[in-house]
């Protein structure tokens, strides 16, 4: 079988972006690849497909080229793909190659209009928009990749290389995920039984309704007593603003004025030294006129007061309501034709911000952004944030005030991955100073967030993908290798690996993953060559070991291990190893049946985080 796809580029033609192609004679080609927007040197599916096309074209005296589409908001659209198909048809294309699920709708909606062209759809089956029911088009040949065999190779390699505590990180309701996990179990069991070593396997699906796992976490504002400090400390008193506290010399503190009272706008900061013998001008602030500025703490106590002045002309208010519209969350005072920045209150659990509602004539720069600007204000403005149930996972943060704090720390709420989160601690009690932020989930584990400054009373961070917590927990309990085959959240395992130790292993499937211990690759290049050599429209073929449709990026430097892997690969290719197929995409049903039948003497299969559920 093939361990590596040879790097072979088609030299007779060079690909280009649609808008940049001007010479029609340059476009004539027998075989055309339309990439998913990536390049043919991406180290992934596009490159693999292009290498297969190039190789076949060179061996059969055919011409080939590729198009790299310009994406629409990072997405491939049917309308855009049809332009490339039309251009290819005008220039004599016999075959058009479409790599991946992103092209499934295009294959269904476009291919039938070009009956003389043979379409090859890799790793997907045509379907209509909004309905993933498989559709078969007479001039489309589809390729799927055997996830059972892919998982088997991953499990077999893992145990051969000495991993005896394994984890499978799966996706509920995905047939591809279920079969990948089932193959992983069977491959690990095959190796464990042949070697006579005990192996444990923990299986968890991040989105299973049976999953008893709490993704929420708590951020605590921590304080310490001043008399415990070895450095000199100085007291900062902020009047009508945020930033009061006791700080060590050299601290850089953000000072922010409170919203202006009705009819007023922020004017300037008044600064006073509270230490005898130190002049006021020694209080080192970055600006007297910016409502939010920095203070560099010097050797003195100080009082910093926000002052306000009357608005010139007509004064208007901008009222940001709570989600139910019952009260004001924020109130801003603005002059006529003025503008102001607005922020929606944090979403409640399992909700996300959707848009702003208002009857005002004022302009909202981005009505769909929780953080935006209101301009051209000529009347009082009332803005109500509208929240909807989240289509993507939300994770809840509880911000609490630790011992020594005085009041409520802010930032609690529901967030999706990559949301911008701001947390502000409550002022310290007398005799205390803010120290740092701590965060932990329900199980006492680190959450993986990276604060801009964990030692500043006001700081920010981007919300992380909390599904990594499942993998974190597996690693905490001794698992040394996690397989992610078929899981659309596979990146969570790499996030977890980064949280822990790079000696821990993530095993991937499908596309080459540079941080993976090994990846079981879907060999697009070989699949393309097989379809070009024997095109059969309206059919689906499975790429597997018998077609060299799968290969591992790394097995072992040990010749004995490599030999054992080669032997098992050949047995899979020859059909000498039969695998249990998952029925209906239910990974849990497979696990339950596997434990009931007990086909392995050495592998123990566990279900994790399942409340009242057992695989046995």
């Amino acid at each position: 079988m093939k361990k590596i796809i040879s790097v072979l580029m088609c030299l007779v033609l060079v690909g280009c972006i649609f808008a940049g192609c001007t010479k029609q004679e340059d476009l004539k080609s027998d075989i055309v690849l339309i990439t998913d927007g990536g390049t043919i040197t991406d180290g992934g599916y596009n490159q693999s497909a292009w290498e297969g096309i190039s190789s076949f074209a060179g061996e059969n005296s055919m011409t080939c080229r590729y198009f790299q589409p310009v994406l629409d908001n990072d997405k491939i659209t049917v309308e855009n793909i049809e332009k490339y198909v039309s251009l290819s048809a005008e220039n004599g294309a016999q075959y058009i190659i479409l790599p991946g699920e992103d092209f499934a709708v295009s294959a269904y909606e476009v291919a039938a209009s070009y009956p003389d062209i043979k379409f090859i759809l890799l790793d997907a089956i045509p379907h209509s928009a909004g309905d993933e029911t498989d559709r078969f088009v007479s001039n489309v040949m589809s390729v799927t990749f055997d996830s059972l065999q892919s998982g088997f190779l991953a499990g077999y390699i893992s145990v051969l290389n000495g991993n005896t505590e394994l984890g499978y990180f799966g996706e509920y309701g995905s047939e591809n995920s279920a079969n990948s996990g089932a193959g992983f179990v069977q491959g690990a069991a095959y190796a464990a039984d042949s070697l006579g070593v005990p192996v444990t396997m923990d299986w968890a699906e991040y989105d299973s309704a049976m999953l008893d796992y709490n993704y929420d976490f708590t951020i605590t504002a921590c304080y310490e007593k001043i008399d415990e400090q070895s450095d000199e400390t100085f007291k900062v008193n902020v009047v009508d603003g945020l930033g009061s506290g006791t700080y060590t010399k050299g601290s850089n503190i953000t000072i922010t004025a409170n919203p202006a009272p009705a009819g007023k706008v922020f004017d300037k900061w008044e600064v006073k030294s509270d230490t005898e013998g130190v002049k006021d001008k020694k209080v080192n602030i970055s600006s007297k006129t910016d409502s939010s500025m920095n203070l560099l703490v010097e050797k003195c106590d100080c009082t910093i007061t926000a002052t306000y002045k009357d608005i010139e002309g007509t004064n208007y208010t901008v009222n940001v309501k709570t989600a139910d519209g019952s009260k004001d969350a924020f109130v801003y005072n603005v002059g006529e034709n003025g503008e102001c920045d607005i922020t929606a209150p944090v979403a409640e659990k399992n909700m996300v911000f959707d848009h702003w509602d208002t009857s005002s004539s004022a302009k909202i720069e981005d009505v769909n952004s929780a953080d935006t600007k209101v301009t051209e204000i000529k009347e009082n403005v009332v803005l109500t944030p509208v929240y909807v149930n989240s289509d993507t996972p939300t994770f809840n943060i509880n911000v609490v005030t630790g011992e020594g704090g005085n009041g409520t720390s802010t930032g609690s709420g529901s967030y999706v991955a990559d949301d911008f989160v701001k947390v502000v601690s409550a002022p310290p009690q007398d005799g205390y100073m803010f120290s740092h932020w701590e965060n932990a989930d329900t199980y006492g584990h680190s959450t993986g967030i990276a604060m801009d400054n964990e030692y500043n009373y006001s700081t920010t961070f981007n919300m992380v993908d909390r599904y990594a917590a499942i993998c974190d927990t597996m690693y905490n309990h001794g698992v040394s290798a996690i397989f992610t085959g078929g899981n659309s959240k596979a990146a969570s395992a790499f996030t977890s690996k980064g949280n822990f130790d790079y000696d821990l292993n993530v095993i991937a499937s499908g596309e080459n993953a540079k941080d993976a211990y090994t990846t079981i690759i879907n060999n697009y290049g070989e699949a393309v060559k097989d379809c070009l050599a024997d095109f059969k429209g309206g059919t689906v073929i499975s790429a597997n070991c018998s077609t060299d449709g799968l290969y591992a990026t790394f097995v072992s430097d040990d010749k004995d291990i490599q030999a054992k892997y080669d032997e098992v690969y050949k047995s899979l290719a020859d059909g000498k190893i039969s695998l249990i197929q998952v029925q209906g995409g239910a990974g849990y049903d497979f696990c339950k049946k596997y434990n009931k039948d007990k086909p392995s003497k050495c592998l123990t299969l566990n279900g994790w985080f399942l409340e009242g559920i057992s695989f046995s």
Side-chain angles (χ1 to χ4, degrees):
M1 75 251 162
K2 297 175 179 58
K3 307 286 193 312
I4 304 173
I5 302 177
S6 61
V7 178
L8 177 63
M9 292 297 176
C10 179
L11 301 178
V12 293
L13 290 172
V14 179
C16 65
I17 296 176
F18 178 78
C21 296
T22 57
K23 296 181 180 180
Q24 288 296 310
E25 61 268 26
D26 292 341
L27 303 180
K28 293 188 177 300
S29 299
D30 301 312
I31 310 171
V32 174
L33 168 69
I34 302 176
T35 78
D36 61 5
T39 69
I40 57 166
T41 57
D42 63 359
Y45 293 147
N46 295 308
Q47 181 171 337
S48 179
W50 179 244
E51 289 170 350
I53 292 166
S54 304
S55 176
F56 184 89
E59 294 167 0
N60 292 275
S61 300
M62 299 176 75
T63 57
C64 61
R65 66 158 296 110
Y66 70 91
F67 291 110
Q68 182 183 335
V70 176
L71 302 183
D72 183 4
N73 292 324
D74 295 325
K75 293 183 180 179
I76 292 173
T77 64
V78 173
E79 294 76 18
N80 204 14
I81 295 307
E82 187 164 18
K83 294 177 183 178
Y84 294 96
V85 171
S86 176
L87 181 60
S88 301
E90 291 171 4
N91 287 277
Q94 300 176 43
Y95 298 90
I96 293 179
I97 316 302
L98 306 174
E101 173 63 31
D102 288 345
F103 292 94
V105 175
S106 294
Y108 175 69
E109 296 188 5
V110 176
S113 300
Y114 298 86
D116 295 331
I117 297 178
K118 301 177 177 68
F119 290 81
I120 297 172
L121 178 61
L122 300 170
D123 212 2
I125 299 174
H127 60 77
S128 62
D131 181 357
E132 296 191 3
T133 303
D134 293 345
R135 309 287 183 177
F136 299 96
V137 184
S138 61
N139 61 330
V140 178
M141 184 176 188
S142 296
V143 180
T144 60
F145 290 84
D146 193 322
S147 52
L148 263 177
Q149 289 193 1
S150 176
F152 186 95
L153 293 174
Y156 189 73
I157 291 171
S158 299
V159 176
L160 278 188
N161 281 294
N163 295 286
T164 58
E165 293 182 81
L166 304 175
Y168 178 63
F169 178 51
E171 181 174 358
Y172 181 79
S174 165
E175 186 171 356
N176 186 32
S177 172
N179 277 309
S180 295
F184 189 58
V185 171
Q186 293 171 78
Y190 193 93
D193 290 342
S194 65
L195 296 173
V197 297
V199 172
T200 60
M201 171 85 72
D202 297 309
W203 180 309
E205 293 164 330
Y206 77 89
D207 56 345
S208 170
M210 296 181 290
L211 189 68
D212 180 28
Y213 196 89
N214 187 343
Y215 295 106
D216 301 343
F217 64 93
T218 298
I219 298 177
T220 303
C222 299
Y223 306 81
E224 53 193 347
K225 290 184 177 180
I226 294 173
D227 59 9
E228 295 175 355
Q229 289 292 306
S230 59
D231 298 326
E232 289 184 282
T233 59
F234 301 93
K235 188 171 183 178
V236 177
N237 179 33
V238 180
V239 180
D240 282 335
L242 296 175
S244 294
T246 303
Y247 303 98
T248 56
K249 179 182 178 298
S251 297
N252 194 345
I253 308 302
T254 301
I255 307 294
T256 304
N258 290 336
K264 302 281 187 179
V265 293
F266 176 80
D267 183 23
K268 65 181 185 297
W269 295 101
E270 291 182 350
V271 179
K272 181 179 180 298
S273 168
D274 295 332
T275 298
E276 186 176 351
V278 177
K279 295 180 179 180
D280 294 345
K281 64 181 181 180
K282 290 293 186 179
V283 179
N284 190 350
I285 63 173
S286 62
S287 171
K288 282 193 173 184
T289 56
D290 289 340
S291 61
S292 183
M293 54 79 181
N294 289 335
L295 163 71
L296 181 63
V297 177
E298 303 284 4
K299 288 188 174 183
C300 68
D301 298 333
C302 63
T303 297
I304 303 175
T305 303
T307 65
Y308 304 86
K309 63 182 179 181
D310 292 337
I311 293 176
E312 295 180 3
T314 308
N315 170 52
Y316 297 111
T317 59
V318 176
N319 295 60
V320 175
K321 295 290 189 179
T322 55
D324 61 6
S326 63
K327 58 183 180 180
D328 294 333
F330 311 107
V331 179
Y332 307 92
N333 293 281
V334 186
E336 188 168 12
N337 289 317
E339 61 183 38
C340 74
D341 296 317
I342 58 170
T343 300
V346 177
E348 295 181 357
K349 185 174 182 179
N350 301 323
M351 305 291 285
V352 291
F353 176 85
D354 186 64
H355 67 276
W356 293 99
D357 267 354
T358 183
S359 59
S360 169
S361 62
K363 291 188 177 180
I364 303 174
E365 282 193 352
D366 187 350
V367 73
N368 299 117
S369 174
D371 296 286
T372 188
K373 185 187 293 290
V374 183
T375 62
E376 300 183 20
I377 297 170
K378 300 176 182 178
E379 60 184 341
N380 290 332
V381 179
V382 176
L383 296 160
T384 302
V386 178
Y387 301 86
V388 296
N389 287 315
S390 177
D391 291 330
T392 56
T394 64
F395 307 105
N396 302 302
I397 298 174
N398 184 31
V399 181
V400 300
T401 301
E403 182 182 355
N406 182 23
T408 301
S409 299
T410 61
S412 297
S414 180
Y415 301 91
V416 299
D418 296 326
D419 269 355
F420 180 80
V421 182
K422 181 177 181 179
V423 292
V424 179
S425 71
Q429 298 175 12
D430 287 341
Y432 285 83
M433 63 182 293
F434 176 80
S435 171
H436 64 284
W437 294 97
E438 289 182 353
N439 66 85
D441 65 14
T442 305
Y443 309 97
H445 302 148
S446 170
T447 61
I449 64 171
M451 291 182 170
D452 289 339
N453 185 349
E454 64 183 289
Y455 300 103
N456 196 319
Y457 80 94
S458 174
T459 191
T460 60
F461 61 91
N462 288 101
M463 186 62 192
V464 296
D465 169 16
R466 285 286 293 144
Y467 288 136
I470 290 180
C471 301
D472 288 356
T473 306
M474 288 183 176
Y475 286 140
N476 271 320
H477 285 79
V479 167
S480 62
I482 293 175
F483 182 49
T484 63
N487 188 348
S488 64
K489 299 295 183 185
S492 300
F494 291 100
T495 299
S496 177
K497 174 182 167 71
N499 292 343
F500 279 79
D501 186 339
Y502 280 91
D503 289 337
L504 296 168
N505 299 319
V506 176
I507 304 164
S509 72
E511 186 176 6
N512 195 1
K514 63 183 178 66
D515 292 329
Y517 172 72
T518 186
T519 301
I520 311 303
I521 297 287
N522 291 344
N523 192 341
Y524 276 34
E526 195 64 38
V528 165
K529 292 172 66 176
D530 291 343
C531 292
L532 289 169
D534 186 20
F535 182 86
K536 295 177 181 178
T539 65
V540 180
I541 64 167
S542 177
N544 51 34
C545 294
S546 67
T547 66
D548 287 330
L550 304 169
Y551 70 94
T553 55
F554 170 75
V555 178
S556 174
D557 295 327
D558 186 308
K559 292 182 179 179
D560 182 55
I561 291 177
Q562 180 70 56
K564 290 179 179 178
Y565 168 80
D566 291 344
E567 181 181 350
V568 164
Y569 192 103
K570 188 175 187 306
S571 295
L572 286 169
D574 295 341
K576 294 180 180 179
I577 298 176
S578 58
L579 302 179
I580 302 171
Q581 181 87 21
V582 173
Q583 301 298 318
Y588 171 74
D589 289 344
F590 163 80
C591 293
K592 186 175 181 180
K593 185 177 188 305
Y594 192 88
N595 274 359
K596 179 181 179 182
D597 295 344
K598 300 186 183 304
S600 171
K601 294 180 179 179
C602 294
L603 184 134
T604 302
L605 179 59
N606 303 318
W608 270 33
F609 322 126
L610 300 179
E611 184 176 12
I613 300 292
S614 172
F615 286 161
S616 59

